[in-house]
Amino acid sequence: MFTTNPFDDDKLREECGVFGVSRTETASAIVALGLHALQHRGQEAAGITSWDGHEFHTHRAMGHVAGNFDRDEVIRALPGGSACGHVRYSTTGETSLRNVQPLYAELNSGGFAIAHNGNISNAMKLRRELIRRGSIFQSTSDTEVIIHLVATSSYRTLLDKFIDALKQIEGAYSLIVMTPEGMIACRDPLGIRPLVMGQLGDSTIFASETVAFDVVGADYVRTIDPGELVIVTNEGEIRSHRPFGETNARPCIFEHVYFSRPDSIVDGSSVYSVRKAIGAQLAIENPVEADYVIPVPDSGVPAAIGYAQESNIPFELGIIRSHYIGRTFIQPGDKVRHLGVKLKHNANRALIEGKRIVLIDDSIVRGTTSLKIVQMMREAGAAEVHMRIASPPTKHSCFYGVDTPERTKLLAHKLDIGGMQDFIHADSLAFISIDGLYKALGEAKRADIRPQYCDACFTGDYPTTLTDQDDVVVKNQLELLAERVV
């Protein structure tokens, strides 16, 4: 039986990644390279759809980009000058090939392919309404709702149909859409999910992160604004539409903490530099006497560098990570499963023994990873183990395209910091404050009204309505009331 690595089941999953290119001779090959750079955003499945001027071609597969799109015959089967792709970690819908994106449909106006990063928070309600009106769904993905809304819209042009669909959905989305007329890229009105635009010669490129531009040799042009639709026609004309008017941006703050690659630029800032600043602020707020600052690899490295520089405590690699272990491996029993932890991370005993150490990680979700890491340090002979976290306590679930556990399974929801410290068996535990996190991002503090970022996983301040979630709560309350009546 295959099961997830113990160190992978205690992280906030990275949503998805999208990449699209128009007007180039090697579109699908460029998309495959771009998806390689975005692989960290989704490891379950990948897909590419191309347009050759006459028809669409699609290849979708479970697993990583490598192995599925690094073969010449696969790329040759995806001809055309425009293509879009997607790497997936499922947040809505089961893990199966029918949910792998880009999703494709033949509409009255022609072919329609869509790649989506995010989560539609009223998809269940819309799906029920569409099914009642006769729509037949082929997947369980919330993305397919957009296709049906476009198909059933009463507006005349495809652009108006698409805008009509977007105005009916709630939640977070970055979308790349391909039609016979060209490519459309857009973000939700709050800009919760990221999307950037680049240029490669005469070709226009869209991607979830700028690192994908670096890999294919493209230049970063700008960020797609919240609520903006950018259209690239087959003739190369670029038009911008803003159907939502003025919006108050609330991009996801966790892109800076964990999701984006450190070599990306997000909202105009270097992710690596921001994470170092977070670590420095963490040291200012939560100092401790220690011999070494040690990151939990790899996500804790930039913050640990910042913490070490601010505190003047030496930075050392006290945990060595194997880069040759995938996300899954065979574990025939609990004992072997426990031993399997060290396949991915192992303590640098010669460094740690007898020393006071500060462990730096990006977050604590369930707490199981932190518990195992602290235990590993103890077994390696550490005299003291202090844990410092480069984000505030994660107390709330995300409904915007990040796969978080149910709130009741979040350690920070169940326990206060003292209780969390006891749970992971650390000598001390501390988190950066919410205002400290904003300060590291260049803000004076978190605004009380209309905060600068979506930080709902820390604060519970959700920037949109959560129709489906509210419906579930009401349903549960009605069922409980019915049981009491009986």
Side-chain angles (χ1 to χ4, degrees):
M1 179 176 147
F2 288 83
T3 182
T4 57
N5 186 296
F7 281 89
D8 288 331
D9 64 1
D10 192 29
K11 287 289 185 183
L12 301 183
R13 301 291 187 171
E14 299 96 323
E15 336 118 8
C16 300
V18 296
F19 187 98
V21 58
S22 66
R23 303 181 69 250
T24 183
E25 293 181 358
T26 56
S28 58
I30 291 173
V31 171
L33 288 172
L35 293 181
H36 271 289
L38 299 175
Q39 187 73 86
H40 60 286
R41 300 186 73 88
Q43 294 84 38
E44 284 188 354
I48 296 176
T49 297
S50 68
W51 162 249
D52 65 7
H54 301 284
E55 59 182 313
F56 289 86
H57 309 268
T58 296
H59 182 77
R60 302 180 298 162
M62 305 303 296
H64 290 188
V65 178
N68 285 316
F69 292 97
D70 55 1
R71 303 191 306 275
D72 288 341
E73 61 270 23
V74 174
I75 297 302
R76 284 197 301 269
L78 296 167
S82 296
C84 68
H86 186 270
V87 287
R88 182 175 194 262
Y89 183 84
S90 61
T91 56
T92 299
E94 82 245 10
T95 301
S96 67
L97 188 59
R98 65 175 177 161
N99 285 332
V100 179
Q101 297 186 33
L103 297 183
Y104 176 78
E106 285 285 346
L107 305 184
N108 186 50
S109 56
F112 186 92
I114 183 169
H116 171 207
N117 168 212
N119 195 61
I120 300 171
S121 57
N122 64 335
M124 290 170 55
K125 180 179 180 181
L126 290 171
R127 185 186 183 97
R128 289 193 298 267
E129 294 174 352
L130 286 162
I131 290 174
R132 279 197 296 267
R133 288 158 47 187
S135 291
I136 300 173
F137 282 76
Q138 301 297 315
S139 75
T140 58
S141 170
D142 61 336
T143 308
E144 191 178 358
V145 168
I146 300 174
I147 296 176
H148 287 274
L149 289 173
V150 172
T152 58
S153 173
S154 60
Y155 282 84
R156 187 176 61 84
T157 69
L158 178 61
L159 177 60
D160 288 337
K161 289 175 181 289
F162 184 55
I163 292 172
D164 179 39
L166 296 182
K167 289 187 174 182
Q168 296 179 64
I169 63 177
E170 302 169 357
Y173 54 83
S174 286
L175 302 171
I176 296 177
V177 172
M178 289 173 54
T179 76
E181 299 174 3
M183 181 173 288
I184 306 172
C186 65
R187 290 176 81 187
D188 63 78
L190 296 178
I192 298 175
R193 299 270 66 87
L195 192 62
V196 289
M197 182 168 72
Q199 188 169 5
L200 180 62
D202 294 330
S203 304
T204 301
I205 300 180
F206 302 101
S208 293
E209 293 184 37
T210 61
V211 68
F213 298 157
D214 300 334
V215 169
V216 302
D219 295 321
Y220 167 69
V221 175
R222 67 178 179 89
T223 296
I224 304 301
D225 290 335
E228 182 185 15
L229 278 72
V230 176
I231 300 171
V232 182
T233 68
N234 293 329
E235 294 71 36
E237 181 186 0
I238 300 175
R239 301 196 305 266
S240 174
H241 294 261
R242 299 176 186 271
F244 298 98
E246 292 295 322
T247 62
N248 296 300
R250 295 280 298 273
C252 174
I253 202 167
F254 221 86
E255 291 286 344
H256 295 280
V257 174
Y258 173 66
F259 293 141
S260 295
R261 266 180 46 165
D263 45 345
S264 281
I265 304 295
V266 174
D267 300 324
S269 299
S270 160
V271 174
Y272 179 77
S273 297
V274 167
R275 288 178 186 168
K276 283 180 61 180
I278 292 172
Q281 183 64 29
L282 182 61
I284 293 170
E285 294 182 357
N286 302 289
V288 64
E289 292 187 3
D291 299 302
Y292 297 129
V293 174
I294 293 174
V296 176
D298 285 322
S299 57
V301 172
I305 293 172
Y307 192 101
Q309 292 176 345
E310 179 65 34
S311 63
N312 291 316
I313 300 173
F315 170 93
E316 294 286 355
L317 296 180
I319 303 170
I320 307 303
R321 177 189 172 193
S322 170
H323 292 269
Y324 301 98
I325 302 297
R327 297 183 70 87
T328 60
F329 56 91
I330 297 173
Q331 300 171 344
D334 290 341
K335 183 177 180 180
V336 177
R337 175 179 169 84
H338 177 70
L339 293 174
V341 169
K342 294 185 178 180
L343 284 175
K344 193 166 187 179
H345 297 80
N346 192 38
N348 187 353
R349 179 181 290 272
L351 175 78
I352 291 169
E353 192 167 13
K355 296 296 191 288
R356 303 165 299 171
I357 63 172
V358 185
L359 287 172
I360 309 293
D361 206 356
D362 60 272
S363 61
I364 292 181
V365 183
R366 292 181 177 90
T368 53
T369 293
S370 300
L371 173 62
K372 292 166 186 172
I373 291 286
V374 170
Q375 180 182 356
M376 184 186 295
M377 298 297 99
R378 300 283 190 201
E379 292 174 352
E384 296 177 10
V385 182
H386 303 276
M387 196 89 183
R388 296 294 181 267
I389 307 299
S391 63
T394 304
K395 296 181 179 181
H396 305 270
S397 297
C398 175
F399 301 102
Y400 300 120
V402 180
D403 185 34
T404 52
E406 295 177 7
R407 191 182 180 196
T408 56
K409 295 181 180 178
L410 296 170
L411 192 65
H413 171 71
K414 297 186 289 186
L415 301 171
D416 60 15
I417 293 178
M420 296 174 74
Q421 176 181 321
D422 292 341
F423 178 85
I424 66 173
H425 302 309
D427 290 290
S428 71
L429 170 67
F431 298 76
I432 192 171
S433 67
I434 188 68
D435 282 340
L437 180 58
Y438 274 79
K439 186 174 182 179
L441 283 159
E443 306 288 348
K445 65 174 185 176
R446 181 184 190 269
D448 295 329
I449 300 175
R450 294 179 180 173
Q452 303 92 321
Y453 293 91
C454 176
D455 53 21
C457 53
F458 306 134
T459 64
D461 180 7
Y462 296 99
T464 75
T465 53
L466 301 172
T467 298
D468 290 343
Q469 184 65 21
D470 293 341
D471 287 349
V472 170
V473 171
V474 171
K475 180 181 177 182
N476 291 340
Q477 291 174 339
L478 290 175
E479 288 176 351
L480 182 61
L481 180 61
E483 289 175 3
R484 290 174 177 173
V485 171
V486 173

